[in-house]
Amino acid sequence: MTLYVCGHRNPDADSILAAVATAELCRRTGHKAVACRAGAVPAEAAWALKRFGFSQPVLLEDARLSLREISLSPARSCRQTDTIFDALQSMNDPLRPYLGVTGGDGTLQGMVTRNDLSDIGMQDTALGIRLLQTARLEDIARTLSGTVAVHPDKPMHIDGRVSIVALSDHSVSRYEVKNRIVIVADSPEAQLRLIEQGAGLLILVWTDQVSAEVQQAAMEAGCPVVISGHGSMNTSRYLYFSVQIRHVMTPDPVTFHQDIYVQDAIREMRRHRFRAYPVVDEENRLQGFLETDAALNFQERRMIRVDHNEDGQAVRNGSLARVEAVIDHHRVGGFLSREPVFYRCEILGSTCTIVARLYLEAGIPLSGPMAGLLLSGMISDTLGFRSPTTTETDRQLAQYLAFTAGVDARELEQEILSRSGSSDLVQDLETDLKQFDIQGQDVRISQILTGALDRKDLGELQTAMEQYVQATGADLLVTAVTVLPLGGSCLLAAGDLASRLAEMTSSPSRVRLQEGLLSRKKQILPLVQAQLL
């Protein structure tokens, strides 16, 4: 199965670039992997991806699998104008006794199951009579492996009842055959008498020809004649299979759109308890069938978390995925797994540093573009190696990556950080925002990098924060506005717990820049925790 490598919600450059590099490492070691993102790609990450020739990771909005992403049973189908006999031939898999009924453009029009077809034989004769009234002459002949010997210009008039008559002239006279389908053997006398008595359709058995006299009488009476390829018993059985599917199908079956999540489909399936359900696309075209057994035994999405470990920071419904590995450099925030996982968490400046080390440890050569990509993530997350989270390992590895990539680290740093500064604090409030559970309290910390700051910006940001708290119900929102040229941050707070951080936060009327306050992980989060505990 595919591994989905994804960073946290509201991803920063380290999260995006680490996902891309980790997915490539998985592929290089023999695993099918896809790099994903749980939010928009920040400007510095977009620049780095383009600079070193990598595609942006795909957007993953939910950790649950949709029906589009799982293996469905084949989209076997028939047309409304196919006969029951045609459908039974297509329904040749005993494990999949069902078919979709589709139009010429592939759109779903109904569904038919073997149980639907068995109703014809199991229910009273009234159903069979009613269905045979709809049968077409050509369909009857084809179903009986026969031929139309006489095809009058007049419309066929049959009432759906079937008679198998004796061969003698005396016996024929005893039957009421007007407008009936009559199965008769190779007696021209009997055939003529049945036509005279008003039979609606003659089906001849045990013969391969029709006398000229019978043909003439049948044409004049408007009574079609079919020569069957079977004996009387099988002819009477197969006759009922000549009805078109549109008369026995379920016209409005319970269907699922291919983008619905498997868990949602399972909940709906429990209300109906059918064996299989058609799955359709946006144009209502049949894509396959979801079988109940397969749905109940499906495997969750397999994921690798990079640059985070907590469920609250993961892609939506991340706890429902099967986490195979975690590569992170943050605190362990209550991460639980159902099975053993690969867990790599180190006290380093960025997740990209850890991923670079994984390449080296696995003996996988780093290409120039990959080295440049990883170096870009390190520069972004450590603010050019100025953040207190930066370690000597980060600095040494950065030199190696710069040499391998053939780039000037200082020039790359200027390119990356010049794209990190925000000009609209309100717009970027949720761009790099993480959620934490502190003593059961919903605490969220946002960090915005900017090149300049004024009181008006802070006032608009404070208002936006208050609105965010009201909309989300968070207990506390802290925003660190990091002014890159000044090497420090202003902290703003909103929510019910904001008063407990009054001494350390700024306001539009009191701007307090805390020099050296750059790291959310190593400085800001511990400060907030200390005030709340």
Side-chain angles (χ1 to χ4, degrees):
M1 290 183 66
T2 302
L3 283 168
Y4 294 83
V5 186
C6 192
H8 50 76
R9 299 183 201 178
N10 309 308
D12 56 8
D14 186 40
S15 176
I16 294 288
L17 304 184
V20 172
T22 302
E24 177 62 21
L25 177 59
C26 291
R27 291 190 289 268
R28 295 282 296 276
T29 53
H31 302 280
K32 185 178 179 181
V34 175
C36 303
R37 56 187 173 89
V41 178
E44 64 270 31
W47 179 87
L49 289 167
K50 183 176 181 180
R51 164 68 174 80
F52 293 107
F54 292 89
S55 300
Q56 291 193 7
V58 298
L59 178 63
L60 182 65
E61 296 180 320
D62 200 295
R64 294 173 295 174
L65 283 166
S66 68
L67 299 188
R68 185 195 294 268
E69 299 172 281
I70 69 172
S71 179
L72 300 172
S73 296
R76 299 185 307 143
S77 65
C78 61
R79 301 292 177 84
Q80 287 195 44
T81 53
D82 289 342
T83 65
I84 293 175
F85 184 81
D86 296 328
L88 287 171
Q89 300 307 302
S90 300
M91 211 180 294
N92 54 10
D93 186 346
L95 299 179
R96 296 190 173 104
Y98 52 80
L99 290 174
V101 182
T102 57
D105 57 357
T107 56
L108 184 70
Q109 298 173 333
M111 183 173 177
V112 63
T113 69
R114 193 169 285 133
N115 286 342
D116 296 329
L117 306 184
S118 68
D119 285 346
I120 299 171
M122 299 296 290
Q123 294 193 20
D124 58 43
T125 56
L127 175 62
I129 291 173
R130 189 166 62 252
L131 290 174
L132 276 179
Q133 291 173 358
T134 69
R136 297 172 65 250
L137 181 61
E138 294 78 7
D139 291 336
I140 292 174
R142 184 164 54 84
T143 301
L144 297 179
S145 300
T147 57
V148 178
V150 177
H151 196 326
D153 295 333
K154 303 175 183 179
M156 185 169 61
H157 51 89
I158 56 176
D159 62 9
R161 291 178 293 176
V162 180
S163 295
I164 304 176
V165 305
L167 301 181
S168 68
D169 178 65
H170 174 74
S171 298
V172 168
S173 64
R174 293 182 176 182
Y175 284 90
E176 171 57 50
V177 297
K178 185 174 179 58
N179 293 331
R180 290 194 180 194
I181 300 171
V182 184
I183 301 172
V184 63
D186 59 347
S187 169
E189 294 79 9
Q191 296 164 10
L192 285 170
R193 179 62 64 85
L194 292 169
I195 293 171
E196 292 172 359
Q197 292 176 212
L201 167 66
L202 286 189
I203 300 178
L204 310 188
V205 294
W206 303 320
T207 186
D208 59 2
Q209 60 185 355
V210 182
S211 70
E213 187 178 4
V214 171
Q215 291 184 45
Q216 179 64 32
M219 284 294 292
E220 292 176 355
C223 176
V225 179
V226 170
I227 298 176
S228 175
H230 303 284
S232 58
M233 183 61 70
N234 281 336
T235 294
S236 64
R237 284 196 325 135
Y238 294 152
L239 181 58
Y240 290 92
F241 296 163
S242 63
V243 175
Q244 291 187 352
I245 283 297
R246 61 196 175 99
H247 298 295
V248 296
M249 72 180 188
T250 300
D252 295 305
V254 177
T255 62
F256 294 123
H257 191 277
Q258 63 182 350
D259 288 329
I260 191 177
Y261 296 113
V262 179
Q263 290 89 340
D264 293 338
I266 290 174
R267 279 194 292 272
E268 185 68 16
M269 291 163 70
R270 287 181 175 137
R271 296 179 53 222
H272 302 284
R273 299 185 180 277
F274 297 130
R275 179 168 183 170
Y277 301 79
V279 178
V280 298
D281 64 8
E282 294 80 1
E283 304 298 328
N284 200 42
R285 292 187 295 261
L286 181 65
Q287 302 299 303
F289 289 90
L290 177 65
E291 294 191 339
T292 299
D293 289 346
L296 295 177
N297 294 293
F298 87 103
Q299 292 189 354
E300 303 94 339
R301 191 189 302 275
R302 298 172 62 208
M303 296 195 68
I304 295 177
R305 292 182 179 180
V306 296
D307 201 32
H308 74 294
N309 63 80
E310 301 181 49
D311 288 342
Q313 297 176 16
V315 64
R316 187 183 302 118
N317 290 305
S319 61
L320 298 180
R322 179 180 171 184
V323 179
E324 299 276 336
V326 176
I327 303 171
D328 193 16
H329 67 135
H330 297 93
R331 72 167 194 167
V332 180
F335 172 74
L336 296 174
S337 67
R338 286 168 283 177
E339 298 176 357
V341 300
F342 175 85
Y343 200 101
R344 182 72 172 259
C345 186
E346 295 189 72
I347 307 173
L348 293 170
S350 81
T351 304
C352 282
T353 305
I354 305 173
V355 176
R357 286 162 62 94
L358 289 173
Y359 270 86
L360 298 175
E361 292 168 7
I364 304 296
L366 278 165
S367 66
M370 181 58 72
L373 194 75
L374 289 167
L375 179 58
S376 298
M378 294 169 62
I379 290 172
S380 175
D381 218 38
T382 62
L383 300 180
F385 305 102
R386 297 178 183 84
S387 170
T389 60
T390 308
T391 69
E392 190 59 31
T393 298
D394 293 298
R395 294 188 177 91
Q396 291 178 358
L397 190 54
Q399 294 178 5
Y400 169 77
L401 294 175
F403 175 79
T404 304
V407 299
D408 184 296
R410 289 295 182 188
E411 291 180 359
L412 184 61
E413 175 186 320
Q414 291 176 1
E415 292 283 1
I416 294 293
L417 295 185
S418 68
R419 289 167 171 79
S420 299
S422 174
S423 59
D424 189 333
L425 303 186
V426 173
Q427 180 178 326
D428 288 347
L429 174 61
E430 299 180 53
T431 299
D432 184 9
L433 185 150
K434 291 186 177 181
Q435 184 176 6
F436 303 92
D437 184 322
I438 301 177
Q439 296 288 86
Q441 297 162 325
D442 182 357
V443 177
R444 308 185 188 193
I445 302 178
S446 173
Q447 186 166 23
I448 303 173
L449 306 183
T450 186
L453 184 65
D454 62 34
R455 297 179 185 277
K456 180 182 177 183
D457 293 333
L458 288 182
E460 294 175 350
L461 178 59
Q462 185 70 49
T463 300
M465 290 173 61
E466 299 291 350
Q467 293 172 347
Y468 176 90
V469 168
Q470 290 179 3
T472 62
D475 296 308
L476 175 65
L477 170 62
V478 176
T479 300
V481 181
T482 301
V483 187
L484 292 172
L486 302 180
S489 303
C490 294
L491 297 182
L492 283 76
D496 293 341
L497 303 178
S499 60
R500 298 171 65 172
L501 277 66
E503 294 184 2
M504 53 187 288
T505 56
S506 297
S507 67
S509 60
R510 187 193 67 165
V511 179
R512 180 186 177 190
L513 180 73
Q514 301 184 53
E515 294 184 7
L517 187 66
L518 301 172
S519 171
R520 170 171 45 200
K521 173 182 64 177
K522 198 166 185 178
Q523 297 173 306
I524 301 169
L525 177 58
L527 280 173
V528 173
Q529 285 179 309
Q531 298 299 315
L532 298 181
L533 297 181

